[in-house]
């Protein structure tokens, strides 16, 4: 009985190890810092390549943050236009047309 239990525990440990290797061996599957670090370490990059990777990641993060801010501004602007259309009881498109006319 004890041998069966030990065998089952060993098989569970191997299954867990296999799962961990599958999830950390691919960056697409990495969901946390530890998994991403394990994957990056497995690449065995030199310091120079790691610095280039860091710079690239920083640029991508800045770009995504900038895009999120732009989307927020656009959504705020759209909401203001919707509120104006409700306030004056005119359509959204009419508000935009009036704004275009006033800007010219």
């Amino acid at each position: 009985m004890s041998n069966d239990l030990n065998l089952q525990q060993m098989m569970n440990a191997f299954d867990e190890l296999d799962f961990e290797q599958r999830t950390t061996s691919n960056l697409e599957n990495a969901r946390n810092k530890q998994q991403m670090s394990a994957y990056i370490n497995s690449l065995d990059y030199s310091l120079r390549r790691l610095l280039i990777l860091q710079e690239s990641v920083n640029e991508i993060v800045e770009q995504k943050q900038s895009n999120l801010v732009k989307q927020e501004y656009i959504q705020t602007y759209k909401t203001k236009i919707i509120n104006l259309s409700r306030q004056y009881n005119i359509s959204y498109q009419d508000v935009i047309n009036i704004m275009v006319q006033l800007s010219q």
Side-chain angles (χ1 to χ4, degrees):
M1 181 75 174
S2 177
N3 287 341
D4 289 340
L5 185 60
N6 288 339
L7 182 60
Q8 185 62 39
Q9 288 174 337
M10 190 182 313
M11 289 175 59
N12 289 342
F14 278 123
D15 287 342
E16 207 172 294
L17 178 63
D18 181 50
F19 175 77
E20 185 67 25
Q21 287 176 341
R22 280 186 284 124
T23 58
T24 59
S25 64
N26 188 346
L27 191 57
E28 291 177 9
N29 294 329
R31 296 290 181 243
N32 58 41
K33 183 178 177 181
Q34 181 183 7
Q35 292 172 340
M36 289 184 185
S37 294
Y39 175 76
I40 291 170
N41 282 331
S42 75
L43 295 175
D44 197 30
Y45 279 176
S46 67
L47 178 60
R48 180 179 172 273
R49 289 184 77 188
L50 284 173
L51 289 171
I52 293 170
L53 177 63
Q54 180 183 24
E55 185 179 339
S56 298
V57 168
N58 287 341
E59 287 176 4
I60 291 169
V61 167
E62 287 176 16
Q63 183 182 22
K64 288 203 177 261
Q65 286 175 334
S66 173
N67 287 343
L68 284 174
V69 169
K70 287 177 185 176
Q71 286 177 346
E72 186 178 317
Y73 286 152
I74 289 170
Q75 187 58 43
T76 301
Y77 193 70
K78 285 181 177 180
T79 302
K80 288 180 179 182
I81 293 174
I82 289 170
N83 288 338
L84 280 172
S85 72
R86 287 182 183 159
Q87 181 180 354
Y88 293 107
N89 199 22
I90 56 177
S91 71
Y92 183 88
Q93 189 61 46
D94 287 342
V95 173
I96 292 176
N97 291 339
I98 292 169
M99 292 173 72
V100 167
Q101 289 173 357
L102 289 175
S103 69
Q104 294 173 352

